[in-house]
Amino acid sequence: MPDLLLELRSEEIPARMQRKAAGDLRKMLTDGLVEAGLTYEAAREYWTPRRQTLDIRGLTARSKDISEEIKGPSTSAPEQAVQGFLRKAGLSSIAEAHVHSDPKKGDFYVAHISKPGRAAEEIIAELVPGIIRNFPWPKSMRWGPASAKPGSLRWVRPLQSILCTFGPETEEPVVVDFEIDGIRSGNITYGHRFHAPDAITVRRFDDYVSKLEAAKVVLDADRRKEIILADARNLAFANGLDLVEDEGLLEEVSGLVEWPVVLMGEFEEAFLAIPAEVIRLTIRANQKCFVTRTQGFDDALSNRFILTANIEARDGGKEIAHGNGKVVRARLSDALYFWTTDQGDLPDLRELEASAEKFGLDLKKPLDQRMARLDHLGVTFHAKLGTQGERVERIARLAEELAPIIGADPALARRAAVLAKADLTTEVVGEFPELQGAMGRKYALLQGEHASVAAAAEEHYKPQGPSDYVPSDPVSVAVALADKLDTLVGFWAIDEKPTGSKDPYALRRAALGVVRIIVENGIRLTLRTVFALSMARYVVGDHFRKLDRQTEAAQHLADLGVGEKTVRDLNKMVEREQAPSRAERIISETQERALQIAADLLAFFHDRLKVYLRDQGARHDLIDAVITPQSDDLLQIVRRVEALGSFLDTEDGKNLLAGTKRAANILAAEEKKKTAVAETVESALLREDAEKSLFAAVNQAEKQAGEAIQNDDFSAALLALSVLREPVDSFFEHVLVNDEDQAVRANRLALLARIRAATGQVADFSKIAG
């Protein structure tokens, strides 16, 4: 079977685009070949900074001949239908069609279409130019004199040559001939830009790879990564050091070189006074180099770094290493300046006094100064949600109120929340935004903050994804929850919710973070109460900001579960002279809006919790059986699902499920027919021993299950309900529910309703499969 080799060689492609582009090339070409009627055995893509290569094995030499029949209208059909048939079948006149007969339908037209197969070379020559012209680069460019013409070729970087050969291993392959904007395909490629710039004639993939290797080009990106990693480890070890590995940097560097040569550079030890994270980011971001550390000391960086060159220099790379060292030293000098400046006093301290008083800050401390500046500058968080200073105040109050629930010190929680965003105005974070939080922790420790306060500065951003760790320090937990909940409530209040695949503010991630923090730390928290605490500062403020005053509407938020302290604090802002009718109207609007936000946001949390539990292996039907629109204790939901799953794995669980569902189905059918159901079960109307036994069992199980649920012991609740198994089975075996006596029938239906209510204390069994 023939093989196809395609190479698109250009000037250097950005490293971040190479892997995806190679995958896109493989998909676009193989899809096109299959659509054209060809098949293939295997396809693999390769890439370097200067080339995208595709190796397709076992490609059929020719597409199959196609014969098909297209059924047309009746021979007596109107002319308009006949003309439509001719267009569909590609016939020039009805004389080219055949007439078939059917005993029921009569005579009708049929077009017999025969399409001869096409040579693979012809199909490839037609496909590739179209793929090149329509390739989905994130960014592309035009070049040369042709770029002035409309519709000229665009590529990520100027396209220089196209190699395209096709043929079996036993024969000489042919060049698939085509041209695009003056670039004609051939069997020529070129090696390393400096080491082997001459033309190389290629026959097929195997000699293509070997000739490129001889011309100082390693085609396989994964092999380049292995070479870089192995050589970097060995070089570091030879100098008594360990390589600080970085998979993302390794991927990027492998896309910058065709012939990797690993070298070592160095900088002055004085720069090691800079935090390790800053050194690493400085060297990584600016020079694409790896840092090293002293063997046996995970936190102690050395003053040596590893760089990857693209040439084998005559001097062994000394000048390359020296040149990189000069740039690294200049960058580290900037980083050292940022680091020391952040620990000094700001020049505008007098202007920050009002902000310092508002947040209780000590302007003798550098991080406090930065927080005061963040508030003083009025840095916008979101146009509709106010400034960062206003946001910090909301988070601080919410963290303070959450602290007793979580088991944190309220004073520490407030202090941590006030300082959590302070590092946003530091020089280091301004240069390296990815260090926000980490630098806040370091600066907090330097000025003598409590360890929990310092930890919260970094950990309140956690978790930032499903694989990220969850904070466990109570202060960090309080601030992390306050931060995420304030964000969610705020964006819900301005109706900026995620839609479809769009989530520009990462609200799904924030909600999943709240779910993980609550569940993995075992925190009992009623979300409606927390929503109300946060909304008290959003919804009320939003309505009354227009009037420049607050009202007694705060009192009405107590219906949502707002604590008395919050109500008192809000009432302090009340100005009594406001017109009563106007206040009453806005009070009603405020309360209605708050309830709407709470219900909608709670439903969003339910969706995130379902995603989390499914990822943990929970059955979707059990989750649906436990969650109700009013369920706002996430930990309780999780424990119910876990207990229900374990119970239904037992024989008692399976049998009780069957009996309960049978009772629920009978009851639902009768309720649909509007059959009378007694409000309570009358013991005097119980005639059969089986229904008397069931009534007694339901009374006992309902009571014991209720007590267990009060103690959050859902396993015990289900164990109590399991005693219903035998009475339920016996009831359905010996008792006719639809008795002729209407009173008896209504009483027995009421007994079934008691079964449904008893099991419903834990879950809605009707939603469980089985």
Side-chain angles (χ1 to χ4, degrees):
M1 297 283 282
D3 300 331
L4 171 66
L5 170 63
L6 174 67
E7 179 202 72
L8 305 176
R9 189 179 64 87
S10 67
E11 293 186 14
E12 280 73 6
I13 303 168
R16 68 183 183 279
M17 299 183 186
Q18 294 168 18
R19 184 180 290 273
K20 182 179 185 303
D24 287 341
L25 178 62
R26 176 181 56 80
K27 185 177 189 307
M28 292 174 77
L29 186 53
T30 54
D31 286 356
L33 293 172
V34 170
E35 188 176 341
L38 300 178
T39 60
Y40 64 94
E41 293 177 359
R44 184 177 175 187
E45 68 273 25
Y46 298 87
W47 62 92
T48 77
R50 299 175 64 216
R51 64 201 81 222
Q52 296 277 305
T53 300
L54 190 58
D55 173 31
I56 300 181
R57 302 292 177 96
L59 185 64
T60 47
R62 187 178 183 84
S63 62
K64 294 180 179 179
D65 296 338
I66 298 175
S67 296
E68 62 176 329
E69 292 185 353
I70 300 177
K71 186 177 179 181
S74 168
T75 53
S76 60
E79 182 62 21
Q80 188 176 0
V82 173
Q83 291 301 318
F85 165 65
L86 293 177
R87 286 193 298 271
K88 178 182 177 182
L91 303 180
S92 57
S93 72
I94 198 63
E96 297 177 11
H98 298 260
V99 177
H100 288 199
S101 296
D102 184 278
K104 295 181 180 179
K105 298 181 179 180
D107 294 343
F108 58 91
Y109 293 114
V110 174
H112 293 182
I113 307 297
S114 295
K115 293 182 180 179
R118 300 168 64 200
E121 297 99 307
E122 181 186 345
I123 294 171
I124 295 165
E126 183 181 290
L127 275 175
V128 175
I131 290 171
I132 293 173
R133 285 196 177 278
N134 299 296
F135 201 80
W137 292 108
K139 291 184 178 180
S140 58
M141 61 180 289
R142 295 180 293 177
W143 63 94
S147 63
K149 300 176 183 177
S152 60
L153 176 64
R154 300 184 68 93
W155 199 246
V156 62
R157 293 293 184 269
L159 189 63
Q160 295 175 331
S161 68
I162 301 171
L163 182 152
C164 190
T165 66
F166 179 72
E169 292 185 7
T170 56
E171 299 176 12
E172 187 69 19
V174 299
V175 172
V176 179
D177 185 48
F178 57 87
E179 182 182 351
I180 178 168
D181 270 30
I183 304 173
R184 183 166 290 280
S185 60
N187 60 350
I188 302 295
T189 189
Y190 297 82
H192 193 282
R193 181 186 290 277
F194 304 111
H195 288 307
D198 297 332
I200 301 169
T201 302
V202 173
R203 296 174 65 247
R204 54 176 53 87
F205 183 76
D206 292 340
D207 76 307
Y208 168 74
V209 173
S210 61
K211 287 179 178 179
L212 280 181
E213 189 93 14
K216 304 293 186 183
V217 175
V218 178
L219 182 65
D220 189 344
D222 290 331
R223 185 161 163 258
R224 291 198 302 275
K225 288 173 66 174
E226 291 170 3
I227 292 170
I228 294 168
L229 184 58
D231 289 355
R233 285 172 175 168
N234 292 337
L235 184 56
F237 182 77
N239 286 272
L241 304 169
D242 286 331
L243 177 71
V244 178
E245 297 183 15
D246 185 329
E247 178 60 31
L249 179 58
L250 181 62
E251 174 76 15
E252 184 176 9
V253 170
S254 72
L256 297 175
V257 296
E258 290 193 318
W259 189 253
V261 178
V262 174
L263 304 170
M264 178 173 282
E266 64 179 334
F267 54 86
E268 286 76 6
E269 291 189 356
F271 289 121
L272 294 176
I274 305 170
E277 297 93 333
V278 179
I279 294 174
R280 183 175 178 180
L281 262 178
T282 299
I283 294 176
R284 183 191 197 278
N286 294 297
Q287 287 305 104
K288 313 302 179 191
C289 297
F290 299 88
V291 295
T292 61
R293 59 178 169 237
T294 306
Q295 288 182 352
F297 296 90
D298 289 346
D299 298 327
L301 291 187
S302 79
N303 66 323
R304 306 283 186 90
F305 61 91
I306 301 289
L307 62 113
T308 308
N310 193 35
I311 60 172
E312 290 181 345
R314 295 173 186 172
D315 64 354
K318 290 181 181 178
E319 279 301 315
I320 296 173
H322 177 68
N324 276 266
K326 287 172 64 177
V327 178
V328 165
R329 281 190 287 276
R331 297 295 187 178
L332 288 178
S333 294
D334 292 342
L336 182 59
Y337 169 78
F338 297 148
W339 169 245
T340 54
T341 300
D342 285 340
Q343 296 173 60
D345 288 338
L346 293 172
D348 53 351
L349 289 182
R350 286 191 176 182
E351 298 177 8
L352 307 181
E353 289 177 355
S355 294
E357 183 178 356
K358 178 165 61 172
F359 287 97
L361 299 168
D362 182 357
L363 290 182
K364 294 178 182 178
K365 296 182 176 181
L367 198 59
D368 289 54
Q369 294 176 23
R370 272 69 187 175
M371 178 56 227
R373 172 181 270 188
L374 182 67
D375 180 63
H376 173 70
L377 293 176
V379 178
T380 301
F381 168 61
H382 186 281
K384 296 180 181 179
L385 296 176
T387 66
Q388 286 282 12
E390 291 170 339
R391 181 174 181 238
V392 168
E393 176 59 25
R394 292 193 301 267
I395 294 171
R397 289 194 181 188
L398 185 55
E400 189 177 11
E401 291 177 322
L402 288 175
I405 301 172
I406 295 163
D409 184 325
L412 288 180
R414 178 172 179 80
R415 176 66 175 167
V418 167
L419 295 180
K421 308 296 182 184
D423 66 347
L424 295 178
T425 58
T426 62
E427 298 289 341
V428 170
V429 173
E431 182 71 12
F432 301 111
E434 55 266 56
L435 287 180
Q436 66 178 10
M439 296 312 300
R441 183 175 197 160
K442 288 187 178 296
Y443 292 138
L445 289 172
L446 282 173
Q447 70 178 31
E449 297 294 335
H450 190 284
S452 293
V453 172
E458 180 176 16
E459 294 181 342
H460 81 281
Y461 290 108
K462 306 292 183 179
Q464 292 189 318
S467 59
D468 198 8
Y469 75 90
V470 172
S472 57
D473 183 288
V475 173
S476 296
V477 169
V479 180
L481 286 175
D483 180 34
K484 292 171 176 58
L485 288 165
D486 176 80
T487 299
L488 287 160
V489 170
F491 280 104
W492 248 252
I494 62 173
D495 202 25
E496 289 276 0
K497 297 173 282 189
T499 56
S501 61
K502 295 181 179 179
D503 187 9
Y505 304 109
L507 300 180
R508 291 189 180 96
R509 186 176 70 185
L512 188 57
V514 172
V515 168
R516 289 189 61 201
I517 290 171
I518 288 175
V519 173
E520 294 177 28
N521 282 292
I523 299 170
R524 294 296 306 277
L525 196 65
T526 53
L527 287 180
R528 285 181 180 272
T529 299
V530 182
F531 294 163
L533 293 174
S534 186
M535 280 188 288
R537 298 172 187 93
Y538 267 119
V539 183
V540 174
D542 180 60
H543 278 291
F544 297 104
R545 193 177 292 116
K546 300 171 187 175
L547 303 172
D548 295 321
R549 38 173 73 92
Q550 300 284 339
T551 74
E552 290 173 338
Q555 186 66 52
H556 289 258
L557 289 173
D559 294 338
L560 294 171
V562 178
E564 292 182 7
K565 180 180 182 301
T566 303
V567 173
R568 287 198 305 272
D569 289 345
L570 288 168
N571 278 333
K572 288 177 184 178
M573 296 184 284
V574 171
E575 293 185 11
R576 303 289 183 180
E577 69 273 15
Q578 189 168 1
S581 60
R582 197 175 188 188
E584 185 177 339
R585 175 177 59 80
I586 298 179
I587 286 170
S588 176
E589 291 176 3
T590 300
Q591 189 177 23
E592 183 179 346
R593 176 69 175 141
L595 288 167
Q596 181 184 3
I597 293 170
D600 195 20
L601 188 51
L602 186 59
F604 181 72
F605 268 98
H606 287 167
D607 290 339
R608 294 300 94 200
L609 180 62
K610 289 177 182 179
V611 171
Y612 172 78
L613 289 175
R614 286 168 187 161
D615 288 344
Q616 301 297 311
R619 285 168 45 183
H620 67 89
D621 57 330
L622 302 190
I623 302 169
D624 291 338
V626 167
I627 292 180
T628 68
Q630 291 74 40
S631 302
D632 65 350
D633 186 333
L634 301 184
L635 183 63
Q636 188 180 81
I637 293 172
V638 172
R639 288 177 175 170
R640 283 177 187 247
V641 171
E642 290 172 349
L644 188 59
S646 299
F647 176 66
L648 292 177
D649 286 339
T650 66
E651 199 63 31
D652 280 347
K654 293 173 184 175
N655 289 330
L656 179 61
L657 173 63
T660 303
K661 292 188 76 170
R662 184 177 177 185
N665 289 338
I666 293 173
L667 190 60
E670 295 303 320
E671 287 174 338
K672 189 174 182 180
K673 292 188 289 186
K674 298 186 178 181
T675 305
V677 180
E679 292 185 5
T680 59
V681 179
E682 295 291 340
S683 56
L685 293 174
L686 301 174
R687 298 175 177 176
E688 306 291 341
D689 291 340
E691 60 183 326
K692 293 176 182 177
S693 298
L694 178 58
F695 181 53
V698 168
N699 285 334
Q700 179 185 356
E702 198 171 37
K703 179 182 177 183
Q704 292 177 349
E707 292 172 351
I709 290 170
Q710 288 295 320
N711 296 322
D712 292 329
D713 190 345
F714 301 106
S715 296
L718 287 164
L719 183 64
L721 292 172
S722 67
V723 301
L724 293 176
R725 172 195 166 182
E726 291 185 8
V728 167
D729 290 345
S730 178
F731 175 84
F732 284 121
E733 185 178 350
H734 298 103
V735 177
L736 178 65
V737 175
N738 288 321
D739 193 88
E740 293 180 358
D741 187 325
Q742 290 187 6
V744 172
R745 180 170 64 245
N747 200 55
R748 288 174 179 171
L749 288 173
L751 185 55
L752 297 185
R754 286 286 302 278
I755 297 172
R756 183 174 65 182
T759 55
Q761 294 179 93
V762 178
D764 183 350
F765 276 50
S766 66
K767 294 182 178 179
I768 301 174

